[in-house]
Amino acid sequence: MDQRNFLYMFYGFAAAWFLLAAYLLTLVSRESKLRKEVDNLKRMLEEREKKG
Amino acid sequence: MKNKILMAVALASGLYLVRNLYVILLQLPDEAAQGAIYRIMYFHVPGWITSFSAYFLAGLASVWYLIKRDPRADEYAVALTEVGTIFTMLGLATGMVWARIIWGVWWVWDPRLTWAFICFLIYAGYLMLRKTIDEPGQRGRIAAVVSIFAFVSVIITYKSIDWWRTQHPGAVLSFRAGEQRMDPAMEGMLFHNWFALTAFAGVIMMLRLGQERMQRELDALRRYTHSL
């Protein structure tokens, strides 16, 4: 492979993969937060129903 | 079952991308004038096609929402737009690195680049706008109208290389140029990577869609809790 622009080609590929990986990680963390919130609210409602 | 299918598609698209990387880096020859850097094309062009396809589908979902007021259409619209915006960022970032070598600068205010940036700002604005409206019906309605009008920027970006011939190269792909302007092996590989990226985009869109549904469930639970 021609080595002239290899470094910049690597930067381009790295930028693409980094963006996709970062978004995927954001999705995973958002999902766990949402799940936690839904579970907390459901538990809270169940406790209220038991009391009421 | 649905999760298993999603996992299978994710795995297949991941393997497909790795296989494509092997061919792109180790099997395809360098381009005569550009050397190794032309390989950015394999992410740049499919990134844009994927983002434009996502915006198109988001526009259709928005029209569907306005006609039927079906919340699922709004969920699809937001998931598709968010994934489309990520691929727009991918297209812009890879294009800038490519431009640095070919044009000697990271950015020029050429019509194609300017409209691509405007397109990104409009769709980022759509996503921000959604965060500012609490009432789901109003949010869906306003977002749908914005999404439909935003698609005009996609059409202008797509056609800009035909309307204004400046810095950015014109149409190269055979389906658009009407003739073979690129080596068939190089062009074929571009479609392979586009297919793999589209499959991957489909998977992350489905994940995002699931979160949108979970968010609606959460909002409904919150409203119910407050009403008690």
Side-chain angles (χ1 to χ4, degrees):
Chain A
M1 191 188 292
D2 185 343
Q3 298 299 309
R4 275 178 301 163
N5 307 318
F6 185 82
L7 190 65
Y8 276 86
M9 185 201 75
F10 172 76
Y11 289 158
F13 276 43
W17 283 100
F18 174 78
L19 267 168
L20 293 177
Y23 182 61
L24 210 55
L25 287 176
T26 313
L27 281 181
V28 170
S29 103
R30 203 190 287 171
E31 176 121 5
S32 73
K33 268 184 201 166
L34 277 171
R35 269 187 208 285
K36 245 182 230 170
E37 274 193 70
V38 170
D39 288 346
N40 281 344
L41 270 174
K42 278 183 178 168
R43 205 177 308 127
M44 207 172 87
L45 281 169
E46 278 171 10
E47 280 169 13
R48 272 196 192 187
E49 274 172 19
K50 276 179 195 169
K51 280 181 189 171
Chain B
M1 182 66 186
K2 202 173 143 189
N3 280 347
K4 278 183 184 169
I5 293 172
L6 204 60
M7 280 294 288
V9 177
L11 192 68
S13 66
L15 289 173
Y16 199 10
L17 279 168
V18 171
R19 175 259 175 198
N20 289 349
L21 262 184
Y22 171 77
V23 178
I24 291 165
L25 292 173
L26 299 172
Q27 289 193 341
L28 284 177
D30 288 332
E31 204 264 343
Q34 300 186 31
I37 195 76
Y38 93 97
R39 288 180 174 83
I40 285 185
M41 168 184 83
Y42 295 113
F43 283 91
H44 180 70
V45 179
W48 279 113
I49 302 176
T50 307
S51 92
F52 285 177
S53 310
Y55 292 148
F56 174 69
L57 293 174
L60 286 184
S62 300
V63 171
W64 185 250
Y65 178 79
L66 287 180
I67 295 169
K68 294 283 179 187
R69 297 295 153 103
D70 183 349
R72 285 175 306 173
D74 186 47
E75 289 164 2
Y76 271 100
V78 65
L80 283 160
T81 304
E82 196 171 293
V83 171
T85 310
I86 293 301
F87 277 87
T88 300
M89 285 163 74
L90 188 150
L92 285 172
T94 50
M96 281 169 73
V97 177
W98 200 358
R100 176 68 186 83
I101 293 299
I102 301 303
W103 301 336
V105 286
W106 294 99
W107 186 267
V108 284
W109 293 103
D110 150 275
R112 170 69 148 213
L113 275 71
T114 307
W115 271 103
F117 187 57
I118 291 170
C119 182
F120 166 68
L121 291 178
I122 289 173
Y123 281 100
Y126 165 93
L127 293 171
M128 284 188 252
L129 176 77
R130 293 187 65 94
K131 301 260 179 208
T132 63
I133 307 168
D134 288 330
E135 205 277 305
Q138 192 187 23
R139 180 173 60 220
R141 210 167 47 249
I142 294 174
V145 173
V146 172
S147 177
I148 292 162
F149 279 103
F151 192 69
V152 174
S153 73
V154 174
I155 296 168
I156 298 175
T157 308
Y158 181 76
K159 291 297 290 176
S160 59
I161 49 168
D162 302 321
W163 292 340
W164 304 285
R165 288 300 306 117
T166 52
Q167 189 94 5
H168 193 282
V172 177
L173 297 178
S174 52
F175 74 85
R176 211 171 156 198
E179 58 182 357
Q180 195 76 47
R181 289 188 182 169
M182 199 193 302
D183 183 274
M186 290 175 173
E187 188 172 9
M189 194 58 228
L190 198 140
F191 289 121
H192 273 293
N193 220 35
W194 172 46
F195 191 67
L197 277 177
T198 302
F200 183 72
V203 171
I204 52 178
M205 193 282 286
M206 290 306 288
L207 286 175
R208 182 65 187 84
L209 187 68
Q211 290 180 1
E212 197 58 27
R213 285 178 182 160
M214 215 186 287
Q215 183 66 54
R216 274 185 200 272
E217 188 192 353
L218 185 64
D219 290 343
L221 277 171
R222 277 182 185 145
R223 277 195 295 275
Y224 180 64
T225 315
H226 282 297
S227 70
L228 289 174

